[in-house]
Amino acid sequence: MKLASHKSGRDGQLLVVSRDMSRAIIAAEIAPTLQAALDDWASTAPALEQLYASLNEGSAENSFPFDPAQCAAPLPRAYHWADGSAYVTHVELVRKARGAELPDSFWTDPLIYMGASDAFIGPRDDIEVESEDWGIDFEAEVVVITDDVPAGVSVEDASDYIRLVGLVNDVSLRNLIPAELGKQFGFYQSKPWTSFTPVLVTPDELGSAWNGAKLSLPLRATLNDTLIGKPNAGVDMTFDFPTLISHCAKSRSLMTGTVIGSGTVSNVGSEEGSCCLAEVRCLEIIANGAPSTPFMSFGDRIKIEMIDDNGLSIFGNIDQIVKQYQPPT
């Protein structure tokens, strides 16, 4: 099934969305928010599935046209957001461009950082940044949402705790990153709000493209109507989602509604293009000695989407404009 959140307060109002994303219905009688639904998934999921079936059959009462512009992120805020760098080929490329060696451990020990989850933004919300000098970049990723995950869960069992799948634009401010990483204490100022696709879906909606660990379809990133890349998210994923979940839960349990990100999707050789501008620029540095592609500017438009084998959008698209933020005076 497909679930979304209508903009309402800080946590949104839970919607069930039809498979073709033409219609939606408020699911308040089952759960007021998506987090509430996840907290009692054993009870809410069957009721939501029934509502989803009636919506697809055209028999649901009180349904209305689905409008992604009225959507918040499906989880407008979450208790936990852990983002990985599962495509080590991406990290290898970035380090190669600056003449740095890739430690062997990067191929066996996942890179994970804890991001800000106090507020996610919707698929049509602007990317507000104070200065273009900060190096505004998009990052197209796949994410999963978990149930309660016990500490010490094995990789083999971790897939049992995946409840929902979606896409995000994990915006990075590239020119702020070096100074932050130079402190050897991780990202903070360089990672503004993350945006989500209009809907999250249960894994059964993905058919054969989902094997319980990876989503094997191209992830499309289009900047100002130019396709930047469409690498396959199931190819060259060094660390699959069960591995990332097991890594995150090594010494602590994970709470229901935890968001686990794949990191920027990337394929070896980048023949299908890239899911961020940093990778494009790294390829230019390697080939020509210097980058020629700029980071995003105010007014730029980024679209992120995944299309199934029938040509249909699975999650709806992220479609955002970069706008200049004016601090309070």
Side-chain angles (χ1 to χ4, degrees), residues 207-226:
S208 61
W210 175 257
N211 67 357
K214 301 178 182 180
L215 179 52
S216 295
L217 286 170
L219 179 53
R220 301 176 63 89
T222 304
L223 180 63
N224 297 329
D225 297 324
T226 297

Side-chain angles (χ1 to χ4, degrees), residues 56-226:
N56 289 326
E57 293 165 358
S59 60
E61 297 181 359
N62 302 317
S63 71
F64 50 87
F66 179 59
D67 182 3
Q70 299 302 314
C71 286
L75 277 173
R77 53 180 174 172
Y79 293 114
H80 193 173
W81 160 223
D83 198 18
S85 190
Y87 300 85
V88 178
T89 181
H90 169 74
V91 183
E92 183 180 41
L93 183 63
V94 170
R95 293 177 74 92
K96 182 179 179 180
R98 67 171 191 258
E101 291 292 325
L102 185 77
D104 290 341
S105 64
F106 280 28
W107 293 102
T108 57
D109 190 19
L111 295 172
I112 297 274
Y113 80 92
M114 188 182 295
S117 61
D118 53 324
F120 295 130
I121 60 176
R124 302 292 185 271
D125 291 340
D126 294 333
I127 300 170
E128 295 188 321
V129 179
E130 186 175 338
S131 173
E132 292 178 341
D133 293 339
W134 290 352
I136 309 163
D137 198 1
F138 63 88
E139 290 192 61
E141 305 185 16
V142 181
V143 295
V144 298
I145 315 298
T146 76
D147 199 350
D148 286 330
V149 179
V153 67
S154 68
V155 173
E156 292 74 19
D157 292 338
S159 62
D160 295 340
Y161 299 94
I162 295 173
R163 293 290 170 261
L164 299 167
V165 183
L167 308 177
V168 301
N169 179 13
D170 181 43
V171 177
S172 287
L173 303 177
R174 298 293 185 184
N175 293 340
L176 299 185
I177 288 177
E180 289 205 288
L181 293 187
K183 300 176 185 178
Q184 298 186 1
F185 212 62
F187 301 114
Y188 196 86
Q189 291 178 335
S190 51
K191 303 299 290 187
W193 283 341
T194 299
S195 56
F196 278 67
T197 42
V199 303
L200 298 175
V201 310
T202 48
D204 59 286
E205 287 290 320
L206 302 171
S208 61
W210 175 257
N211 67 357
K214 301 178 182 180
L215 179 52
S216 295
L217 286 170
L219 179 53
R220 301 176 63 89
T222 304
L223 180 63
N224 297 329
D225 297 324
T226 297

Side-chain angles (χ1 to χ4, degrees), residues 276-294:
C276 70
L277 293 177
E279 186 168 293
V280 173
R281 289 165 59 90
C282 285
L283 289 167
E284 293 168 347
I285 291 171
I286 293 168
N288 307 314
S292 55
T293 298

